[in-house]
Amino acid sequence: GTGSNILSALQDLFWLSKSKVEKQLQIISVLQWVLTFLVMGIACTLILMYILCTDCWAIAALYLAWLVFDWNTPKKGGRRSQWVRNWAIWRYFRDYFPIRLVKTHNLLTTRNYIFGYHPHGIMGLGAFCNFSTEATGVSQKFPGIRPYLATLAGNFRMPILRDYLMSGGICPVNRDSIDYILSKNGSGNAIIIVVGGAAESLNCTPGKNSVTLRNRKGFVRLALRHGADLVPVYSFGENEVYKQVIFEEGSWGRWVQKKFQKHIGFAPCIFHGRGLFSSNTWGLLPYSKPITTVVGEPITIPKIDNPSQKEVDFYHSIYVDSLIKLFDKYKSKFGLPETEALEVN
């Protein structure tokens, strides 16, 4: 009777409330990472400089002394923390979009790997969630494989930010770091390189599937030098979560972006997502569009100490073909028409 109706209404209210709380936690989890990506390095540097000028200067001095002592740790595989990688906040981060990791083949723990991640998107949200956290179960899907997401070396010169990044298994995308992981860290290592880099981020926009790859061959040379297998990875939906102002080639805007890219290592993008309180307003939050990261079949690479350009070109062409085949095989499963083609620039 009436009592049952009231109880039913209260149950509905309870579940609605729980749903709203989970949605807010998802928003908070994504917002903290966006702010980390955009401002944490600069903010922590300024705060440290300010503390040096206060009565608490000894705290800042101790951290700076530790920083000098620990300076080369990022180049030696970093300092990952399984506790940080398993934080519950990353599961809320995953569910906001949601983000999925799809395994297509097993990976041998007796080999090392270089994953080529495509496309870059604005922030590489799929790359971070899948390989720098355990939210999508990368360690369960690829047991015995240690993923290292490679990013700008400049991030590891920023106080506090460097330690935060290393805790997730993130390393600098430079030769010293990659050489160490692939030659002095045993087997079962997988370095994830966002091959298109800053140049690719300048062209990412919803509805466009294009990668900057034709003249990106350094990762293939590294794979040959270490005998590390190449694995193509494509994230469907990575370009859908932000809208960007695209400057045409030859415009002043593109000129400024390329100058930043050349001298600093990243290209400033003018982009927007949704607002904090409404999806109908502009803001820094990405749109909640699904991102599905598909890890393709490994390409067996021989170890050649000094590979020739012909050998690099040969394995690079195999990699490009494998990436296109991976895209074509899975595109219709993740919302793209059969006529969609991957643009390789």
Side-chain angles (χ1 to χ4, degrees):
T2 305
S4 298
N5 291 336
I6 293 174
L7 181 61
S8 178
L10 288 173
Q11 287 176 337
D12 291 342
L13 182 63
F14 171 77
W15 287 113
L16 180 63
S17 176
K18 182 180 178 181
S19 175
K20 286 183 177 180
V21 169
E22 288 187 348
K23 187 61 180 177
Q24 293 306 312
L25 288 173
Q26 291 170 12
I27 289 173
I28 291 169
S29 68
V30 174
L31 180 62
Q32 69 84 25
W33 174 247
V34 170
L35 294 177
T36 296
F37 183 90
L38 295 176
V39 302
M40 184 177 179
I42 295 173
C44 288
T45 302
L46 293 175
I47 290 171
L48 197 66
M49 292 173 62
Y50 171 75
I51 294 175
L52 279 171
C53 300
T54 69
D55 292 339
C56 298
W57 63 268
I59 296 174
L62 283 172
Y63 179 80
L64 289 174
W66 160 254
L67 193 62
V68 172
F69 175 79
D70 195 55
W71 190 253
N72 289 323
T73 298
K75 298 178 183 178
K76 297 180 179 180
R79 188 172 45 248
R80 73 174 56 220
S81 166
Q82 285 302 117
W83 176 66
V84 173
R85 287 175 60 89
N86 281 291
W87 277 353
I89 194 172
W90 306 131
R91 295 192 289 276
Y92 289 111
F93 183 101
R94 171 199 67 197
D95 294 340
Y96 173 85
F97 296 93
I99 295 174
R100 287 179 57 210
L101 179 65
V102 176
K103 169 186 174 180
T104 63
H105 291 79
N106 292 323
L107 298 182
L108 299 175
T109 57
T110 54
R111 301 285 292 174
N112 283 324
Y113 301 89
I114 293 180
F115 288 17
Y117 184 92
H118 314 268
H120 184 287
I122 295 292
M123 296 184 186
L125 294 166
F128 169 75
C129 184
N130 285 307
F131 302 113
S132 293
T133 81
E134 294 296 332
T136 56
V138 62
S139 293
Q140 286 72 45
K141 288 182 169 70
F142 300 104
I145 301 297
R146 293 181 297 276
Y148 294 86
L149 177 60
T151 187
L152 289 176
N155 289 325
F156 297 88
R157 301 186 187 102
M158 302 284 191
I160 308 300
L161 175 63
R162 67 189 292 277
D163 301 289
Y164 191 31
L165 295 178
M166 283 194 292
S167 68
I170 301 177
C171 68
V173 61
N174 58 32
R175 182 169 173 174
D176 288 343
S177 177
I178 294 172
D179 282 348
Y180 183 91
I181 292 171
L182 295 180
S183 63
K184 299 179 181 179
N185 202 40
S187 60
N189 302 292
I191 298 179
I192 297 89
I193 299 177
V194 186
V195 178
E200 190 172 87
S201 69
L202 298 179
N203 296 314
C204 70
T205 187
K208 186 174 184 179
N209 288 283
S210 66
V211 296
T212 301
L213 182 57
R214 289 291 180 199
N215 297 314
R216 299 292 176 108
K217 301 180 180 181
F219 73 106
V220 178
R221 187 177 295 277
L222 279 169
L224 285 165
R225 287 181 59 243
H226 294 283
D229 293 348
L230 288 171
V231 182
V233 179
Y234 197 86
S235 255
F236 295 89
E238 185 72 64
N239 285 346
E240 308 299 317
V241 297
Y242 279 111
K243 295 179 181 178
Q244 180 183 190
V245 177
I246 304 292
F247 293 102
E248 297 296 328
E249 290 291 341
S251 66
W252 68 269
R254 183 53 66 97
W255 180 84
V256 170
Q257 288 176 321
K258 286 188 173 181
K259 286 296 182 183
F260 265 84
Q261 178 189 338
K262 180 179 179 181
H263 296 293
I264 301 178
F266 74 93
C269 302
I270 299 177
F271 65 92
H272 74 84
R274 52 155 290 182
L276 183 59
F277 301 107
S278 172
S279 59
N280 297 321
T281 58
W282 288 11
L284 290 176
L285 277 175
Y287 293 104
S288 52
K289 304 287 187 179
I291 298 174
T292 305
T293 302
V294 184
V295 179
E297 182 178 3
I299 303 165
T300 302
I301 301 294
K303 188 178 187 304
I304 305 174
D305 290 335
N306 293 296
S308 66
Q309 189 59 49
K310 185 177 180 179
E311 289 167 327
V312 172
D313 291 343
F314 174 73
Y315 285 101
H316 181 267
S317 66
I318 293 176
Y319 179 86
V320 173
D321 290 342
S322 296
L323 179 65
I324 293 172
K325 288 177 182 177
L326 180 70
F327 177 85
D328 288 340
K329 181 177 180 179
Y330 289 94
K331 60 186 178 183
S332 61
K333 294 182 180 179
F334 303 119
L336 297 179
E338 282 291 346
T339 55
E340 183 75 16
L342 179 63
E343 180 183 332
V344 181
N345 300 312

